[in-house]
Amino acid sequence: MPSLHIAQDDAADELLGRDPLALLIGMLLDQQFPMERAFSAPRLLADRLGVQTLSAAELADCDPEVLQRHFQGPPALHRYPGSMAARAQDLARVLVERYDGRADGLWADVPDGATLLRRIGELPGFGAQKAKIFVALLGKQYGVTPPGWREAAGDYGQEGSRRSVADITGPVSLAEVRAFKQAAKQAAKDAKAAAQG
């Protein structure tokens, strides 16, 4: 079982390490929301549901209004709790339909990184960039390393990079990833200003 330090909270990180669905939902929620809170949210959801491990089948079958209330909190599991509750439920339904309700079914029999990337990219809420980051997270920290996984993850798969959640192993690397993201945002702003000027 991998030992993760993404949420910077022992209970939340312990769940991420032993529950692939929790990790997948954390990644889903890591959008327009502080990363640590996104990856802490599965632990809060499990606590509110009164379970030790999240179940795709139970999430898929949950009354949407009840699930939305769990997402609303307080504290809310996301900045947009209603839409993210619906997206998490859609994700759970896809896992039930295609992978027997098992998040690790996404990678259990995967022949290569390209197939893994395609499978993740087909999930609700996982665009091209998020899918690459999740492939990198699986490869760097979860022990999921099919042939070609680094290539499938693109720049996020580079050894020693500090680009994304895939590279966070504690407070120091979290700060390094934040600095990288801020520098990238500033560079994009500068490029836009130069193009307009």
Side-chain angles (χ1 to χ4, degrees), residues 113-129:
T115 304
L116 178 60
L117 180 65
R118 178 183 51 74
R119 286 182 181 181
I120 294 168
E122 291 171 349
L123 298 173
F126 281 76
Q129 182 181 21

Side-chain angles (χ1 to χ4, degrees), residues 21 45-46 49-64 66-67 70 88-89 92-93 96 101:
L21 179 55
L45 180 59
L49 293 170
V51 298
Q52 288 300 309
T53 304
L54 295 173
S55 160
E58 288 175 19
L59 289 176
D61 291 341
C62 189
D63 180 321
V66 171
L67 188 59
H70 286 312
Q89 190 161 47
R93 288 177 176 147
V96 169

